[in-house]
Amino acid sequence: MSAPPVTAVAWAAADPYAAALRAGQGPLFLRRADGWLLPLEVERWCARADAVDRGVLDRCEGTVLDVGCGPGRLVAELAARGRAVLGIDVSAAAVDHTVRMGGQALRRSVFEPLPGEGRWDTVLLMDGNIGIGGDPRALLDRVAGLLRPGGLLIAETAPVDIDERAHVRVVGRTDARGTGDPFPWARLGTPALLRYARGWTRAGQWTADGRRFAALRSRSSRTASSSAEPPKRTAVISSQRAANTSAGSPVADR
């Protein structure tokens, strides 16, 4: 598998990002070469999962992989529910924060080898992480390879109908040029995401408190459910520690 031109090192080396996560607050922006700024919601990311987050997590099935987990609020919430969950992020500060919040996380790019490939039940791409790598179709193909047949992807999309690619830097001030090399990013609304989702089955889309989400299923087995409605019962495991999870759990496969 060939990876798209993802510059994980550029994001990980962006000192303003690590500093903001450690402080739990911004300001923090993605900055395009033309000076346009996208504010990043550091305070919300560093807090505990809110009601909208919890509603998304209610829809998750089985084992969950949070791609670009950031400071780990979703991983920590699922872990507190007794769910088998792993976060991955290229930022050491993000991984450290996730672990401090009580979740499991690895410092890894989604395009690198990962535990449990082809066996995850749910993959999350929250907080605009459908933009990772700047190539939505390549990212969707990669996620399909991480999921079991019929597995569920839940993605948070832009609140407007947009399909944009750019090279960006992370900056901590509106007048800053940023550190490290620019890296590719994308912004997608739900219509654009659905256009790229060839070979996927639509499983729902919704809006909550101004945030937009879409659920997709990978090429499914005949036993897979057709919707991403919140399950009536949530699967619970006894421990999140890798040594205590079952041999069939992707979280235990290091």
Side-chain angles (χ1 to χ4, degrees), residues 9-190:
V9 174
W11 176 275
D15 293 339
Y17 179 69
L21 292 194
R22 293 185 179 112
Q25 61 185 13
L28 198 68
F29 307 89
L30 290 183
R31 186 184 191 279
R32 285 191 321 219
D34 63 3
W36 181 88
L37 297 168
L38 175 67
L40 302 178
E41 299 181 74
V42 178
E43 290 83 357
R44 180 171 66 81
W45 296 352
C46 289
R48 293 287 175 178
D50 62 20
V52 176
D53 296 329
R54 294 193 297 272
V56 171
L57 300 182
D58 288 343
R59 299 170 183 259
C60 292
E61 301 169 355
T63 54
V64 182
L65 179 67
D66 185 1
V67 173
C69 66
R73 73 189 191 282
L74 306 178
V75 176
E77 172 66 22
L78 285 170
R81 297 183 184 191
R83 298 292 294 272
V85 56
L86 177 68
I88 61 167
D89 204 288
V90 297
S91 164
V95 170
D96 290 346
H97 197 287
T98 300
V99 172
R100 287 198 303 272
M101 291 188 74
Q104 287 191 71
L106 296 176
R107 188 180 182 187
R108 204 78 58 87
S109 163
V110 67
F111 295 104
E112 295 175 332
L114 295 172
E117 299 208 8
R119 293 190 283 125
W120 293 96
D121 296 305
T122 304
V123 168
L124 295 174
L125 286 171
M126 295 281 282
D127 304 320
N129 283 333
I130 189 64
I132 288 173
D135 186 338
R137 186 161 290 136
L139 181 58
L140 287 170
D141 287 346
R142 175 57 175 146
V143 170
L146 295 171
L147 287 165
R148 64 167 174 80
L152 181 67
L153 166 64
I154 300 179
E156 183 170 358
T157 57
V160 294
D161 185 2
I162 191 170
D163 185 356
E164 176 186 79
R165 319 293 172 82
H167 280 73
V168 297
R169 286 185 169 96
V170 179
V171 299
R173 305 188 316 275
T174 57
D175 60 344
R177 300 294 300 180
T179 58
D181 296 328
F183 55 91
W185 197 256
R187 292 178 67 217
L188 298 184
T190 298

Side-chain angles (χ1 to χ4, degrees), residues 202-214:
R202 299 182 187 187
Q205 57 189 83
W206 66 98
T207 301
D209 197 24
R211 295 166 62 190
R212 294 186 182 179
F213 305 91

